[in-house]
Amino acid sequence: GQQLNQSPQSMFIQEGEDVSMNCTSSSIFNTWLWYKQDPGEGPVLLIALYKAGELTSNGRLTAQFGITRKDSFLNISASIPSDVGIYFCAGPPTGNQFYFGTGTSLTVIP
Amino acid sequence: EAGVTQSPTHLIKTRGQQATLRCSPISGHTSVYWYQQALGLGLQFLLWYDEGEERNRGNFPPRFSGRQFPNYSSELNVNALELEDSALYLCASTILRVRGEQFFGPGTRLTVL
């Protein structure tokens, strides 16, 4: 089935550092979504992308829809302790089946 | 506007029993998805309901089933519980034909002893 590969799998960074993570697909996507999940809670939608090459920001978060439509990137600037969590990419390849990435676990050291 | 709600928050069952989990979508959302998330792992797609019909299911045995009611709320049933069914079960809703973003509930933590 559809595979969404996220990298890195985990990150340990100092507070104030910038973070970059990416997601690649084996299929073309027409939507890319980025979610954050805190332990024991449901994922929260951070950013949605709908057009190849699109660059969208949400506060300190910036995400880009890759021009090949098979990848997406999420950047977090000036990380803070509350950025800790697991970040998932997601998106429907065709039709309405949704797939989620393997997740990137972020730890911010104060 | 209320978000997606799920009940119960926690559920403890023993092996062989049946579990019923409930989900109420955001008002106006007609599509409900169910996911299983085992501890430390990613989200595994379980079931998708839209307009009262099951539209798709993931790679799970038939003892995982559910339904969607006329008010678009949904129920997930897990029969003959096994130890490996212990997980966080997440429900998400979306307005299927508009953009496609899914909005998640807080989840139900199912523990099978």
Side-chain angles (χ1 to χ4, degrees), chain A residues 35 37 42 50 96-98, chain B residues 33 37 45 99-102:
Chain A
Y35 289 85
Q37 185 178 27
Y50 301 102
N96 297 302
Q97 172 67 0
F98 284 85
Chain B
Y33 291 76
Q37 186 178 33
F45 166 69
R99 296 263 163 160
E101 299 103 326
Q102 292 185 55

Side-chain angles (χ1 to χ4, degrees), chain A residues 21-24 32 34 49 63-66 70-74:
Chain A
M21 61 189 78
N22 73 298
C23 193
T24 59
W32 279 101
W34 284 93
L49 302 161
Q64 183 163 24
F65 194 140
K70 290 186 176 183
D71 57 7
S72 180
F73 307 88
L74 177 69

